[in-house]
Amino acid sequence: VFAFNFTKFLHNDLLCYSKLELNHQEKHYDPSDHVIISHSITNGIPLISSDRKFQFYRKQGLDLIYNVK
């Protein structure tokens, strides 16, 4: 059984989003990814992804669980 808990994108999430250092070296400009990353950082939610570009955001507090394909 899987359960999902939907959370709102609040002011603190938006603040984190606005201060997020972007990964210019790998040209990672996807705003949807940045929303997910900001929400994860702000709420202390581990993020599971196989996107190598997400590793850059660990130094900003992202708890990334890298999923090898």
Side-chain angles (χ1 to χ4, degrees):
V1 175
F2 294 96
F4 293 93
N5 183 18
F6 293 94
T7 59
K8 295 179 181 180
F9 194 77
L10 302 173
H11 176 66
N12 287 340
D13 300 305
L14 187 58
L15 188 60
C16 180
Y17 177 84
S18 71
K19 294 181 179 182
L20 197 64
E21 179 186 346
L22 302 183
N23 186 350
H24 296 290
Q25 185 175 9
E26 295 189 39
K27 296 182 169 106
H28 186 222
Y29 302 120
D30 185 339
S32 297
D33 283 353
H34 298 150
V35 166
I36 293 167
I37 291 166
S38 299
H39 189 71
S40 178
I41 291 170
T42 303
N43 295 282
I45 302 169
L47 178 60
I48 302 170
S49 177
S50 57
D51 190 334
R52 283 184 253 122
K53 294 178 182 177
F54 282 24
Q55 294 182 32
F56 172 84
Y57 302 94
R58 282 183 166 155
K59 68 181 180 180
Q60 297 180 67
L62 179 62
D63 182 6
L64 176 67
I65 299 170
Y66 184 69
N67 179 37
V68 180
K69 288 185 178 181

